[in-house]
Amino acid sequence: MAKARSAFVCASCGRRSPAYFGRCPQCGEFGTMKEQVEQRRRGPDVGSVARGPGAPSPQRLGDIEMSADARIALPIEEFSRVLGGGLVPGSLVLLGGEPGIGKSTLVLELSAKLAAASGPVLYVSGEESARQIKLRAERLGLGAPDLYLLTETDISEIISQARALDPVLVVIDSIQTTHDPELNSAPGLVAQVRHCATALQKLAKGSGPSILMIGHVTKDGNIAGPRVLEHIVDAVLYLEGDPFQQYRLLRGVKNRFGATSEVGVFEMRGSGLAQVPNPSEAFLEERMINAAGSAIAITLEGTRPLLVELQALTSPSAFGNPRRTPNGIDLNRLLLISAVLSKRVGLKLWEQDIFVNVIGGLRITEPASDLAMALAIASSYHDRALPADLAIVGEVGLSGEVRRVGQLSERLNEARKIGFKRALVPKLRRRARDFPADIQLIEARSVREALRAALSGA
């Protein structure tokens, strides 16, 4: 017997309420409460359900056999790197990103190359027609006889076609467009997204194909749903980048089969997204040597060290309150560094507008770039350039001290490969054996010492 239940669900945060609110009491958004009617069917009691003949039974951990080929090799190495070395059969991967960032382009390229190398791939699109996908494939120069296109939004029909084809990979573009007609709610709402994702999870864990789902993001940059999808899937990837820049970063924030926070770098071209095998060299290729306000930071994205250029500009403020304008870094971090330079070093930044930019459209969240940011601001303030062969790494504390960072050996080796001869680092207790011998280390305990050493070296 079916019972209808009506509730109001916030399309932004997923808050459920029996009554309507003009403003969601949880996230504070206006006009996001949508009515949702669900049909609830009473099933038999749990105690009366008998085990079926095909129901799984408990297994000993040591008795579980692993196949020799535990991962599917991907033809795009940067994508494989983010997933931890390949695609695990039966896994669910969620890819999110802003509209127009290149999600469908990257996934279509991956699908075509994987179909040519490993077997049939089913590409399900709920937003584009088959002709539109064909036009994009021709523009990218892709052609694979085992790539199958399906324009469908009914989750039951999608699962039926996937079982009949038995593909290596199933692509859902996008999960917010799929729906189940038995649920009396619109596609994209929380109930529909959760139900369709759970159905795809059963398909992947049961018959074995890997499933890659593309998800829309909210205005805050999070995957819409709200975060119910991130709990269901095995890996969550974000495609990031400045729409006005050519570089895109594929970042992993969750991975049950590999390291999290791994990063793959791509370059947007007319022929699609091309891999960038040496990102540090690409980010520094347009660098202006001996320019005041420029510093090279050695940051770490996942397990990959990257050398990026931080540019700073200080200018006398024409208003009472000086501006602090960051691009690619956190505003609070910029305010902290500015306060440390004013209080501990004596720079009169309270009368200066400060602009800081990370070249290449990257966004840096690691504190190891603090020292490079501080030296870039001081370099612009004094109008004196830092040494061109100096790479900088270190975290800055509130007392003006320079703190040690992790994986310093990997950072220094990356700087040596690019051609840097000197590195400004925090004070070391001892020199590790795996430090590169052909790079000079300049140690500093405080920001004042680091600034004095960098400007005297110039």
Side-chain angles (χ1 to χ4, degrees):
M1 180 178 180
K3 293 182 63 178
R5 185 180 66 174
S6 177
F8 293 89
V9 181
C10 177
S12 178
C13 67
R15 168 71 181 266
R16 298 179 61 88
S17 174
Y20 176 79
F21 289 95
R23 181 181 183 182
C24 177
Q26 178 168 327
C27 65
E29 296 290 336
F30 289 92
T32 58
M33 303 295 290
K34 305 296 182 182
E35 185 177 7
Q36 177 178 317
V37 181
E38 297 181 357
Q39 295 289 340
R40 303 185 64 188
R41 294 178 174 84
R42 291 185 177 180
D45 296 335
V46 176
S48 63
V49 178
R51 287 178 56 85
S57 58
Q59 294 178 275
R60 293 179 183 270
L61 180 63
D63 297 339
I64 299 177
E65 298 181 358
M66 296 294 294
S67 60
D69 189 11
R71 290 180 183 264
I72 302 173
L74 296 180
I76 301 180
E77 295 182 1
E78 291 294 308
F79 207 115
S80 180
R81 175 192 182 93
V82 178
L83 290 177
L87 192 62
V88 177
S91 62
L92 267 76
V93 180
L94 177 62
L95 175 63
E98 296 180 357
I101 202 69
K103 302 184 299 296
S104 298
T105 300
L106 178 61
V107 172
L108 181 60
E109 183 178 355
L110 174 66
S111 302
K113 293 182 178 180
L114 184 62
S118 301
V121 173
L122 178 61
Y123 190 102
V124 182
S125 177
E127 301 176 346
E128 297 177 292
S129 65
R131 290 186 176 181
Q132 289 176 308
I133 301 174
K134 175 66 174 179
L135 288 175
R136 183 189 298 119
E138 292 180 348
R139 178 174 58 85
L140 300 177
L142 302 175
D146 286 337
L147 177 59
Y148 295 85
L149 303 180
L150 176 64
T151 55
E152 182 61 65
T153 58
D154 190 335
I155 188 64
S156 301
E157 184 65 24
I158 293 173
I159 293 177
S160 176
Q161 295 293 339
R163 287 175 176 169
L165 184 61
D166 192 20
V168 177
L169 175 67
V170 178
V171 175
I172 307 296
D173 186 9
S174 66
I175 185 61
Q176 275 80 16
T177 61
T178 59
H179 73 286
D180 190 343
E182 295 185 0
L183 293 180
N184 295 329
S185 59
L189 294 183
V190 178
Q192 286 282 6
V193 171
R194 182 190 294 114
H195 177 79
C196 295
T198 304
L200 293 172
Q201 182 188 38
K202 293 181 180 179
L203 171 66
K205 305 303 179 183
S207 54
S210 300
I211 297 179
L212 176 59
M213 300 183 296
I214 297 178
H216 295 168
V217 296
T218 63
K219 63 180 181 180
D220 296 329
N222 298 320
I223 295 180
R227 305 186 73 90
V228 62
L229 286 176
E230 300 187 8
H231 298 286
I232 296 176
V233 301
D234 299 312
V236 180
L237 312 180
Y238 279 90
L239 190 62
E240 305 172 351
D242 190 342
F244 302 101
Q245 298 286 342
Q246 70 269 31
Y247 295 110
R248 301 289 187 267
L249 266 70
L250 182 65
R251 187 187 304 272
V253 297
K254 174 186 176 181
N255 193 355
R256 291 174 178 165
F257 310 111
T260 57
S261 299
E262 196 60 79
V263 169
V265 183
F266 298 87
E267 182 180 2
M268 178 63 76
R269 299 177 181 174
S271 58
L273 286 171
Q275 302 181 74
V276 180
N278 193 346
S280 298
E281 184 177 355
F283 293 147
L284 300 179
E285 62 181 0
E286 297 181 359
R287 174 194 175 200
M288 182 179 295
I289 306 298
N290 297 326
S294 174
I296 303 302
I298 314 176
T299 184
L300 200 68
E301 295 290 348
T303 59
R304 166 182 283 181
L306 294 177
L307 272 73
V308 296
E309 181 184 4
L310 272 70
Q311 290 184 347
L313 177 65
T314 60
S315 176
S317 177
F319 304 97
N321 295 324
R323 291 182 296 174
R324 303 290 185 260
T325 307
N327 184 20
I329 61 172
D330 185 38
L331 175 60
N332 294 324
R333 210 69 193 176
L334 174 57
L335 296 176
L336 185 149
I337 298 300
S338 302
V340 170
L341 290 174
S342 300
K343 182 72 173 180
R344 306 301 179 188
V345 183
L347 303 185
K348 298 180 180 180
L349 297 178
W350 58 81
E351 57 186 21
Q352 300 281 328
D353 293 332
I354 302 178
F355 306 87
V356 177
N357 182 35
V358 181
I359 302 301
L362 302 180
R363 180 163 185 84
I364 300 177
T365 58
E366 191 190 18
S369 61
D370 288 350
L371 186 57
M373 188 195 317
L375 294 186
I377 295 174
S379 171
S380 177
Y381 179 82
H382 291 293
D383 199 19
R384 294 181 58 186
L386 299 175
D389 60 346
L390 179 67
I392 306 168
V393 60
E395 180 182 355
V396 175
L398 294 179
S399 299
E401 77 277 12
V402 180
R403 298 181 176 271
R404 290 187 296 271
V405 299
Q407 302 187 28
L408 185 57
S409 300
E410 290 78 2
R411 300 173 193 262
L412 295 177
N413 283 314
E414 180 68 15
R416 179 186 58 83
K417 293 178 183 178
I418 301 302
F420 286 85
K421 303 298 181 182
R422 290 180 287 179
L424 184 58
V425 298
K427 188 69 176 180
L428 302 175
R429 294 181 179 178
R430 61 182 182 275
R431 186 184 178 98
R433 296 182 178 179
D434 54 351
F435 280 1
D438 52 350
I439 187 171
Q440 178 187 357
L441 297 184
I442 304 174
E443 303 179 23
R445 293 182 180 271
S446 64
V447 179
R448 185 183 294 272
E449 290 184 12
L451 180 59
R452 185 184 303 115
L455 293 182
S456 63

